[in-house]
């Protein structure tokens, strides 16, 4: 049995084929639990890094409503990037989420705690996180990815998934079939192994997974390196829950929680505001300051070092992501480890030759013993390990 590590980037979700399992049931659940109307006929795949302010991802809340609901975020982007056009058009199409997240996070660090400037910058960062969560949620919740499902169906108990995405396309495939209305899954050891190994929480906290966990002893893990739409923490530093992560496995409820028109969710202990746990795609990631994320990254490093095969799908190793580059350089030691890269930039005729050249040089540097660059899209994957 080959121990495989699958590494997923934004391109994996963007390039997946999303399906609606049961439209009638979907409409019933989402209309009851969400404050927004979402038409499955026009829903689209999650955006890449520059798509979060494109009008096609804002239609469910309308650009003008976003301006009224998140004035600090919109005014901040207009002022810092000199954008004058209507939200969702023109220059907004090129706004890079990484740039916005980085700038807002630096503001939080720069302004002294306890000052008005610090409070305003934290409010701005929270608005960005809610916007990102809602866009991704509307694109993916109550839908499934054909290729994500195929990947999970092919997993052995020793396989690990390292996921750099916030969305839940893989997560929902890893939840066992306990009457969940649109997820016909039979095995899901990775999802609750995450709770056991990373969060060090008793399995009784996850009743949906308890029975299945007793039957599975696989060593594989599901590691979300940058957080997740369904992870929350209390923003009150004095609250005991601020040092932990809560996992919600009822995904359609996340649309209501992250809806721009609803108030922020509240902590059950202190009634303070609860925030979605998303690590921004920053140059300086705060992963080493958090025991939980330090644990996640440490387990990822171990999994990569033990892997007999590494499959990287839709992750392009952006030039500012020094932490991920460090992760792979630190893990890479066995020349016999097979490495497969699935990325459109493998195509010699890719329209962005400058980006392709950067990508190829990065891959050759990270994997000096060679790698398989034959595939360009997720749907070309063959998960047969025989």
């Amino acid at each position: 049995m080959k121990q495989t590590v699958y590494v997923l980037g934004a391109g994996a979700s963007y390039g997946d084929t999303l399906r609606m399992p049961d439209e009638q049931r979907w409409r019933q659940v989402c209309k009851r639990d969400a404050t927004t109307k979402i038409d499955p006929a026009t829903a689209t795949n999650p955006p890449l890094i520059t798509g979060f302010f494109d009008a096609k991802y804002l239609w469910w809340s309308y650009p003008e409503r976003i301006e009224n609901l998140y004035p600090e975020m919109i005014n901040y982007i207009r002022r810092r990037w000199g954008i004058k056009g209507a939200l969702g058009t023109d220059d907004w199409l090129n706004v890079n989420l990484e740039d916005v997240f980085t700038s807002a996070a630096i503001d939080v660090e720069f302004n002294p705690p306890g000052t008005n400037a610090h409070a305003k910058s934290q409010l701005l960062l929270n608005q960005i996180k809610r916007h990102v969560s809602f866009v991704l949620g509307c694109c993916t919740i109550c839908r499934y990815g054909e290729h994500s499902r195929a990947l999970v169906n092919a997993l052995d108990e020793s396989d690990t998934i390292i996921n750099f995405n916030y969305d839940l396309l893989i997560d929902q495939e890893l939840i066992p079939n306990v009457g969940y209305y649109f997820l016909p899954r039979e095995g899901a050891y990775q999802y609750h192994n995450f709770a056991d190994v990373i969060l060090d929480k008793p399995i009784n906290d996850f009743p949906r997974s308890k029975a299945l966990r007793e039957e599975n002893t696989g060593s594989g893990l599901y590691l979300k390196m940058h957080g997740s739409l369904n992870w929350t923490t209390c923003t009150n530093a004095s609250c005991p829950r601020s040092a932990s992560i809560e996992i919600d496995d009822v995904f359609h409820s996340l649309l209501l929680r992250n809806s721009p028109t609803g108030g922020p969710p509240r902590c059950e202990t202190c009634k303070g505001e609860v925030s979605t746990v998303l690590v921004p795609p920053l140059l300086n990631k705060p992963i080493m300051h958090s025991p939980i994320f330090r644990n996640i990254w440490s387990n990822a490093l171990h999994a990569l070092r033990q892997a007999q095969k590494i499959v990287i799908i839709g992750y392009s190793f952006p030039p500012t992501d020094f932490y991920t580059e460090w992760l792979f350089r630190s893990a890479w030691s066995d020349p016999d480890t097979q490495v497969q890269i699935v990325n459109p930039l493998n195509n010699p005729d890719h329209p962005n030759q400058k980006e392709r050249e950067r990508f190829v040089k990065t891959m050759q540097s990270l994997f000096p013993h060679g790698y398989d660059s034959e595939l360009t899209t997720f749907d070309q994957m063959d998960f047969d390990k025989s």
Side-chain angles (χ1 to χ4, degrees), residues 168 175 191 230-232 246-251 253-254 257:
L168 305 172
I175 291 182
Y191 196 76
N230 64 325
W231 297 2
T232 59
E246 300 295 324
I247 299 178
D248 185 354
D249 64 353
V250 183
F251 293 160
S253 69
L254 302 177
R257 190 180 73 201

Side-chain angles (χ1 to χ4, degrees), residues 292-334:
I292 293 174
F293 278 102
R294 176 64 173 78
N295 200 350
I296 292 172
W297 280 69
S298 179
N299 274 270
L301 179 60
H302 176 76
L304 288 169
R305 285 175 172 169
Q306 299 298 315
Q308 294 166 289
K309 184 176 181 180
I310 300 172
V311 182
I312 303 173
I313 307 172
Y315 192 77
S316 300
F317 291 84
T320 57
D321 199 346
F322 297 126
Y323 277 76
T324 302
E325 187 171 323
W326 165 86
L327 181 71
F328 279 83
R329 291 192 189 281
S330 300
W332 186 249
S333 58
D334 188 350

Side-chain angles (χ1 to χ4, degrees), residues 51-63 66 87-88 131 135:
F52 282 87
F53 301 96
D54 188 330
K56 72 179 181 180
Y57 292 106
L58 305 176
W59 64 266
W60 44 75
S61 291
Y62 307 104
I66 294 293
L87 176 62
H131 174 67
V135 168

Side-chain angles (χ1 to χ4, degrees), residues 50-327:
T50 57
F52 282 87
F53 301 96
D54 188 330
K56 72 179 181 180
Y57 292 106
L58 305 176
W59 64 266
W60 44 75
S61 291
Y62 307 104
E64 59 270 23
R65 290 182 65 200
I66 294 293
E67 294 220 36
N68 292 329
L69 292 166
Y70 295 150
E72 290 83 3
M73 179 181 72
I74 301 304
N75 292 335
Y76 182 84
I77 296 173
R78 288 186 185 280
R79 185 176 68 254
R80 293 284 179 102
W81 280 266
I83 297 176
K84 298 180 180 179
L87 176 62
T89 63
D90 303 325
D91 293 340
W92 287 98
L93 306 182
N94 298 316
V95 173
N96 188 303
L97 180 66
E98 180 178 348
D99 295 342
V100 175
F101 248 141
T102 300
S103 181
I106 291 175
D107 284 345
V108 173
E109 291 184 5
F110 181 80
N111 295 312
T115 64
N116 288 339
H118 182 85
K120 290 180 179 179
S121 59
Q122 186 62 61
L123 174 64
L124 168 68
L125 191 61
N126 291 344
Q127 286 189 0
I128 295 172
K129 288 183 178 182
R130 291 195 73 187
H131 174 67
V132 169
S133 298
F134 194 65
V135 168
L136 292 178
C138 287
C139 289
T140 59
I141 291 175
C142 298
R143 304 173 78 199
Y144 73 92
E146 285 187 354
H147 311 315
S148 296
R149 179 162 291 184
L151 186 157
V152 171
N153 283 338
L155 291 174
D156 289 326
E157 289 193 350
S158 60
D159 293 342
T160 285
I161 296 179
I162 295 176
N163 195 347
F164 287 96
N165 300 327
Y166 304 138
D167 67 63
L168 305 172
L169 289 176
I170 295 292
D171 304 54
Q172 64 188 14
E173 300 300 327
L174 295 174
I175 291 182
N177 182 18
V178 190
Y180 207 58
Y181 71 93
F182 70 108
L183 304 173
R185 298 272 39 85
E186 295 180 355
Y189 59 90
Q190 283 90 350
Y191 196 76
H192 39 82
N193 268 10
F194 167 86
D196 286 349
V197 178
I198 305 302
L199 297 183
D200 192 28
K201 299 184 70 170
I203 199 61
N204 290 336
D205 287 0
F206 297 84
R208 292 175 180 269
S209 302
K210 184 176 187 297
L212 191 64
R213 180 67 181 106
E214 293 172 350
E215 300 174 4
N216 289 279
T217 58
S219 60
L221 286 171
Y222 180 49
L223 304 170
K224 300 201 81 170
M225 309 296 280
H226 288 166
S228 183
L229 294 185
N230 64 325
W231 297 2
T232 59
T233 189
C234 182
T235 59
N236 176 12
S238 301
C239 177
R241 289 179 178 261
S242 66
S244 63
I245 290 177
E246 300 295 324
I247 299 178
D248 185 354
D249 64 353
V250 183
F251 293 160
H252 58 266
S253 69
L254 302 177
L255 287 176
L256 176 61
R257 190 180 73 201
N258 288 307
S259 171
T261 57
R266 296 292 171 180
C267 172
E268 295 181 2
T269 300
C270 72
K271 305 306 178 184
E273 184 174 338
V274 170
S275 176
T276 304
V277 180
L278 306 180
V279 175
L282 307 177
L283 181 65
N284 180 24
K285 299 182 192 297
I287 58 172
M288 298 307 174
H289 304 299
S290 164
I292 293 174
F293 278 102
R294 176 64 173 78
N295 200 350
I296 292 172
W297 280 69
S298 179
N299 274 270
L301 179 60
H302 176 76
L304 288 169
R305 285 175 172 169
Q306 299 298 315
Q308 294 166 289
K309 184 176 181 180
I310 300 172
V311 182
I312 303 173
I313 307 172
Y315 192 77
S316 300
F317 291 84
T320 57
D321 199 346
F322 297 126
Y323 277 76
T324 302
E325 187 171 323
W326 165 86
L327 181 71

